[in-house]
Amino acid sequence: MYEPIRTASSSRSLHSTMAGTTPDFPHRSREEELDIQLASHLAALLAVTDELRALAPSADLDTAADRLAEQVARLRAGRTSARAPLTAVGGQSNLAAVHHRAHALAGRALVVAASRADTAAAILAAERMDAHAAALEPRELASH
C-alpha cells in the first residue's frame, strides 16, 4: 500500500547537519561568542565616549576612552577599535541623550562581562554606568 522511501529523510539530513558533519560554517564556543559580544558592546561604548569627549572634553572621559580601548584590544587579540576624530558633533542639547546611550551601552557590557566572569571589564562597565548616571542627575533633577 505504501511505497518505501527511497531518499534520505529530511530529518536525517538535518540531524547530520546539526551533528557537525557539515563544515560549511564556523563553530564557536560560548566563551568565544561572549568575547565577541563584550568587545562589541565596549567598542560601541568607546564610540559614544569619543562622542561625549567631542561635546564636553574632560580628563575623566579621556581616561575612560583609553581604558575602553585597552579592553577592546584585549578581547580582540590586540586589534584596536576604529576611532573617530574628536570633532564637535552637536550642541549641548545632545549631551543628555548621549549620556543616556552611554549608560545603556555600559549596562549591556556589564551584563555580558558578568556572564563571562570578566572582572576587569565588569568593573570598567560599572564605573562608566555610575559616571553617566552622575552626569545625568543634575539635569534630570532640574527638569522635574
Side-chain angles (χ1 to χ4, degrees), residues 6-30:
R6 294 188 180 153
T7 61
S9 74
S10 61
S11 65
R12 194 175 325 141
S13 62
L14 177 63
H15 179 67
S16 66
T17 301
M18 290 174 58
T21 59
T22 306
D24 294 344
F25 54 93
H27 296 278
R28 292 187 197 107
S29 68
R30 181 177 186 274

Side-chain angles (χ1 to χ4, degrees), residues 16-71:
S16 66
T17 301
M18 290 174 58
T21 59
T22 306
D24 294 344
F25 54 93
H27 296 278
R28 292 187 197 107
S29 68
R30 181 177 186 274
E31 290 78 21
E32 290 170 324
E33 290 294 336
L34 288 174
D35 282 351
I36 292 167
Q37 275 187 8
L38 182 56
S40 297
H41 289 313
L42 291 175
L45 180 57
L46 175 58
V48 174
T49 301
D50 283 342
E51 186 176 346
L52 280 168
R53 290 173 59 216
L55 287 170
S58 77
D60 178 54
L61 289 171
D62 292 342
T63 302
D66 291 342
R67 291 178 62 204
L68 287 164
E70 288 171 8
Q71 290 298 317

